[in-house]
Amino acid sequence: MVTEPFIHLANVRKAYRKGEEEFLAISDVTFDVMPGEMVSLVGPSGCGKTTLLKILAGLHAADSGEVRVGSAAHSFDPARDIGMVFQQPLLLKWRRILENVLLPAEILGLPMAESRDRALELLALVGLSGFEDKRPYELSGGMQQRAAIARALIHNPKLILMDEPFGALDALTRENMNLELLRIWRESHKTIVFVTHSIAEAVFLSTRVVVLTAGPARMADSIPIDLPLPRRLDVKTTEVFGTYTRRIYQLLGMG
Amino acid sequence: MNKRFEKSQKYAIAVLAHVALLLVWYLFVVIGKVPHFIMPSPVATFETIFTPTYGWVNNILVTATEIFGGYFLAVIVGVGLALVFSWSNALETVLMPLLVSLNMIPKVALGPLIIVWFSYGILTNSIIAFSIAFFPIILTTARGLREVEPDLLDLVRTLKGSRWQIFTKIQLPGALPYIFAGMKVASILAVAGAIVGEFLGSSKGLGYVMLQVQVNLDTAGMFMSVIFVTLIGVALYGMVVGLERLFVPRDARVQ
């Protein structure tokens, strides 16, 4: 049986107008994402990664091309099935961690008692048990980002969109969070689209890496990553890993 | 040492500092043989409390009414207008520059006019206090309402949250620290405004008392008036700080 893709993008194009001038943000974007896949969008600044993510989030509309999220087997409700994580945790300072995680549930009007139980489970999943009554400032940057991930999962969305979620963390915390994200992904069975600047991070985390280039803004390739799961950090020293990263550097004209 | 001990130690030092100031004042007057009409001793000053001719209770009530009345009006109008501005860009664009110009008018210079319009009395002095106190509140509130992370708005939009939800869950609580910062500045200005009003024209209040006793070179009465005005200001400021502690977590406060 052939599974239908959960996300289908074909020849997606988006340009921004500023006065007379037109800036091409993305073009020629064509790739599919299977349900439960973890896909990275990688490329330099200005390659349209964030634009593409916002199109998937339904915040922007594409100028042309086909964008479809959801399939017959995996329905998709744009109001309830998107969880977002940004580079900054963006926790509300005046709320405790548990209340922060509950924000999407409040907005969607989900039953609160159940949502609280779920929030506690999710805090355990992201390794923040015992921190539910803390204020954001009492947590380190990495811990705040874990809380943000729990917040993205609270309404049990089918698609998680992450925009450079570990970009503001130090290198060691970042590697740790990569491992954590792989674990959370495997335990939650979510489809994740992940934007990053880091080629190594993209290859390490993903089942597929979509390479975007800037000037001209277009998609260079969509590469399936065939590395064994679960992954450990030492996979980064293997020959295959090196082959993947070299290929992406070449696509970006840096090889 | 525990925190509570440290805190009470701080209070003790603050009280001691004030007592020390009184002592220095006393010694300066006594040892320096300063004439009574230049500077009264603390004892002579506090003795005036028991002289019924000053009518302290009545005059304190009048001045306090002017200060609190003008101040609350400033808070309501300031926060209210800032809210309206945050909902209507057009109104803000038209009215804000106007308000900035109006604020440049020295309010003391408006005093005689306000007296012509409203005659002198509690209402007039409240209006003068209001006119000085209101501007910092509208400025900081407007600023606070603008300070919303665009990514956070995107997060709410992906959940199809309403503008009202954005306002109540994110914008308003986020603006509270700014509102309180403006309210603290305004509390000091409101005190000054009411006293200036009483100087310009009044038949009651602590400012009126000061003008009356000035004729007799009764500096003790003037000192006591100043002390009472200061105490009213301290009470107002303390109230605002108390409310801030109640509603804004430590980390979110604007210093």
Side-chain angles (χ1 to χ4, degrees), chain A residues 54 57 59 78-79 84 86 90 92-95 103-104 106-108 135 137 155, chain B residues 149 151-152 154-161 165 169-170 173-174 249-252:
Chain A
K54 288 192 171 174
L59 295 166
M84 292 201 84
F86 304 92
L90 298 179
L92 303 174
K93 287 177 181 176
W94 55 90
R95 286 179 173 228
L103 179 73
E106 283 174 28
I107 290 169
L108 291 171
R135 304 262 182 197
Y137 73 91
H155 50 300
Chain B
E149 285 284 344
D151 281 345
L152 213 47
D154 278 352
L155 181 99
V156 180
R157 284 195 195 113
T158 59
L159 300 165
K160 308 286 180 281
Q165 283 177 321
K169 291 189 190 298
I170 292 169
R250 188 159 54 91
D251 169 61

Side-chain angles (χ1 to χ4, degrees), chain A residues 227-241:
Chain A
L227 289 170
L229 289 161
R231 285 175 199 166
R232 295 190 334 201
L233 284 173
D234 54 17
V235 76
K236 292 189 183 184
T237 59
T238 61
E239 185 66 37
V240 206
F241 191 90

Side-chain angles (χ1 to χ4, degrees), chain A:
Chain A
M1 193 185 89
V2 184
T3 322
E4 247 188 298
F6 184 61
I7 299 173
H8 172 68
L9 298 171
N11 303 311
V12 174
R13 183 182 186 280
K14 172 84 184 170
Y16 292 104
R17 258 159 294 275
K18 199 177 183 185
E20 292 291 290
E21 273 182 288
E22 197 186 64
F23 297 94
L24 190 61
I26 48 169
S27 67
D28 297 333
V29 175
T30 300
F31 65 90
D32 286 347
V33 179
M34 290 299 161
E37 256 199 292
M38 164 108 81
V39 174
S40 287
L41 309 178
V42 71
S45 302
C47 72
K49 307 183 291 268
T50 300
T51 302
L52 188 51
L53 206 67
K54 288 192 171 174
I55 289 174
L56 286 173
L59 295 166
H60 291 336
D63 292 340
S64 65
E66 199 185 328
V67 179
R68 183 177 59 68
V69 186
S71 63
H74 295 82
S75 65
F76 177 78
D77 176 355
R80 286 179 177 246
D81 282 334
I82 295 169
M84 292 201 84
V85 181
F86 304 92
Q87 182 168 3
Q88 300 301 327
L90 298 179
L91 300 176
L92 303 174
K93 287 177 181 176
W94 55 90
R95 286 179 173 228
R96 298 177 192 284
I97 295 301
L98 182 72
E99 296 161 345
N100 261 294
V101 173
L102 284 170
L103 179 73
E106 283 174 28
I107 290 169
L108 291 171
L110 302 180
M112 266 302 129
E114 283 166 46
S115 297
R116 287 182 85 85
D117 292 344
R118 183 170 163 77
L120 290 171
E121 278 168 33
L122 287 171
L123 284 171
L125 174 73
V126 300
L128 284 181
S129 278
F131 288 91
E132 48 277 350
D133 287 333
K134 297 271 186 239
R135 304 262 182 197
Y137 73 91
E138 295 177 280
L139 269 57
S140 69
M143 287 160 89
Q144 290 191 25
Q145 202 56 287
R146 288 163 189 260
I149 293 172
R151 179 179 62 189
L153 291 166
I154 184 70
H155 50 300
N156 203 13
K158 292 186 176 139
L159 176 61
I160 307 288
L161 303 172
M162 304 181 117
D163 193 356
E164 293 185 51
F166 308 136
L169 303 177
D170 65 86
L172 285 176
T173 309
R174 187 170 186 160
E175 299 225 302
N176 233 322
M177 290 300 288
N178 283 344
L179 289 170
E180 289 283 298
L181 180 61
L182 278 172
R183 183 178 60 78
I184 292 164
W185 169 58
R186 288 174 61 81
E187 287 179 25
S188 63
H189 310 288
K190 300 292 179 197
T191 307
I192 299 180
V193 179
F194 185 98
V195 162
T196 179
H197 273 116
S198 161
I199 291 165
E201 185 175 66
V203 174
F204 180 66
L205 288 176
S206 315
T207 53
R208 173 180 302 278
V209 174
V210 173
V211 184
L212 299 164
T213 59
R218 49 179 290 275
M219 188 183 102
D221 206 351
S222 161
I223 307 164
I225 305 293
D226 194 13
L227 289 170
L229 289 161
R231 285 175 199 166
R232 295 190 334 201
L233 284 173
D234 54 17
V235 76
K236 292 189 183 184
T237 59
T238 61
E239 185 66 37
V240 206
F241 191 90
T243 312
Y244 281 126
T245 52
R246 258 195 307 282
R247 180 153 166 226
I248 295 168
Y249 275 115
Q250 275 163 7
L251 284 167
L252 293 171
M254 299 157 79

Side-chain angles (χ1 to χ4, degrees), chain B residues 163-195:
Chain B
R163 277 202 70 173
W164 180 246
Q165 283 177 321
I166 291 176
F167 176 69
T168 54
K169 291 189 190 298
I170 292 169
Q171 220 179 356
L172 189 61
L176 268 187
Y178 292 89
I179 297 176
F180 275 108
M183 280 171 66
K184 280 194 253 181
V185 175
S187 69
I188 297 158
L189 294 176
V191 176
I195 291 301

Side-chain angles (χ1 to χ4, degrees), chain B residues 181-219:
Chain B
M183 280 171 66
K184 280 194 253 181
V185 175
S187 69
I188 297 158
L189 294 176
V191 176
I195 291 301
V196 164
E198 289 182 354
F199 284 171
L200 287 174
S202 61
S203 55
K204 291 177 276 215
L206 293 168
Y208 170 77
V209 172
M210 288 182 78
L211 291 184
Q212 291 305 300
V213 299
Q214 186 193 29
V215 185
N216 311 325
L217 288 181
D218 174 11
T219 44

Side-chain angles (χ1 to χ4, degrees), chain B residues 98-111 113 131-132:
Chain B
L98 217 60
L99 282 173
V100 173
S101 302
L102 288 177
N103 185 51
M104 294 313 287
I105 302 171
K107 252 61 72 181
V108 185
L110 278 183
L113 256 177
S131 68
I132 300 186

